[in-house]
Amino acid sequence: QVQLVESGGGLVQAGDSLRLSCAASGRTFSIGQVGWFRQAPGKERNLVATITWSGSSTYYTDSVKGRFTISRDNAKNTVALQMNSLKPEDTAVYYCAARRMQVASYDYWGQGTQVTVSS
């Protein structure tokens, strides 16, 4: 099992920055990739960014490219999402998720953290 705990959400104004953190524990050696997802009220949960557990490869959805940065701290088993130039449309609950190696789907999820961006 892998446990994921997110932190760092909050209420900010448009143009501000926030840094989300996802702390992984348990069988972390089994993780192949970590992703950040977000779900706005009344909308589907969407992928925002991913990083391989080795940190060698990243992916960003188009709407956050150039504004968000995903990174990995090997020593602390954490994955961070640095969010700059935040927009009201970034408002959502942000979830951290882990996908095991050789498994197609994300099967470990955190509890989510609320990010609210006011205009």
Side-chain angles (χ1 to χ4, degrees):
Q1 292 286 339
V2 173
Q3 294 78 41
L4 302 172
V5 178
E6 303 101 331
S7 60
L11 171 63
V12 297
Q13 293 186 334
D16 286 350
S17 298
L18 269 180
R19 185 177 180 86
L20 305 183
S21 183
C22 174
S25 61
R27 298 171 64 90
T28 58
F29 59 85
S30 68
I31 298 174
Q33 187 177 68
V34 172
W36 282 98
F37 293 74
R38 66 186 180 187
Q39 186 169 21
K43 296 188 176 181
E44 294 182 349
R45 185 177 300 183
N46 292 317
L47 180 64
V48 175
T50 68
I51 188 167
T52 53
W53 194 238
S54 65
S56 61
S57 179
T58 60
Y59 161 85
Y60 300 93
T61 193
D62 285 345
S63 61
V64 307
K65 283 181 181 177
R67 300 189 299 123
F68 290 12
T69 303
I70 190 169
S71 61
R72 162 105 165 82
D73 185 326
N74 292 333
K76 296 181 179 180
N77 278 345
T78 58
V79 173
L81 185 68
Q82 177 67 41
M83 306 184 294
N84 299 330
S85 301
L86 283 162
K87 305 175 181 180
E89 51 263 43
D90 294 318
T91 295
V93 177
Y94 283 71
Y95 298 90
C96 172
R99 179 173 64 79
R100 288 174 289 163
M101 290 181 283
Q102 300 180 337
V103 172
S105 62
Y106 285 86
D107 46 4
Y108 297 111
W109 292 83
Q111 81 286 355
T113 185
Q114 176 70 48
V115 172
T116 303
V117 184
S118 64
S119 57

